[in-house]
Amino acid sequence: MLVVTEDGAKALCGQCEAAVVARPDASVGPIGRTIKAGAAPPRVLAPLEMIVQDLRLAIEDGTMLPGEEVPTIGDIAQARGVSVGTALRSA
């Protein structure tokens, strides 16, 4: 989605869901306008995404070894302070 106004343009990146804000370049003459876009700050991960990322990293860096038991859904929920439903969706 792109919204253009006199003050600039605002867009929502379809791939990363980050907001991109652009402002007109004051150095451009009356013939046309150049819009320079600056990237928005990184999107904050949802609790579900953080759980998945942490489990993946633990496996990749060897913190969790092959054959080792994965924490239970209840343990993940309690340790993260999230509902069992959120922890379940990360499994």
Side-chain angles (χ1 to χ4, degrees):
M1 178 172 75
L2 177 65
V3 177
V4 180
T5 65
E6 285 296 317
D7 298 330
K10 293 181 182 177
L12 181 65
C13 175
Q15 291 180 342
C16 63
E17 299 178 0
V20 178
V21 178
R23 303 240 184 275
D25 187 352
S27 65
V28 176
I31 295 174
R33 288 179 127 177
T34 301
I35 295 182
K36 292 184 177 181
R43 183 174 65 88
V44 176
L45 294 178
L48 165 69
E49 295 169 312
M50 291 172 53
I51 294 168
V52 171
Q53 179 180 345
D54 288 349
L55 288 173
R56 181 182 307 119
L57 289 174
I59 292 168
E60 290 173 355
D61 71 12
T63 303
M64 290 182 67
L65 302 174
E68 185 176 343
E69 289 188 24
V70 177
T72 66
I73 300 299
D75 289 343
I76 292 172
Q78 185 176 18
R80 296 298 184 121
V82 297
S83 71
V84 173
T86 298
L88 181 60
R89 288 180 38 203
S90 68

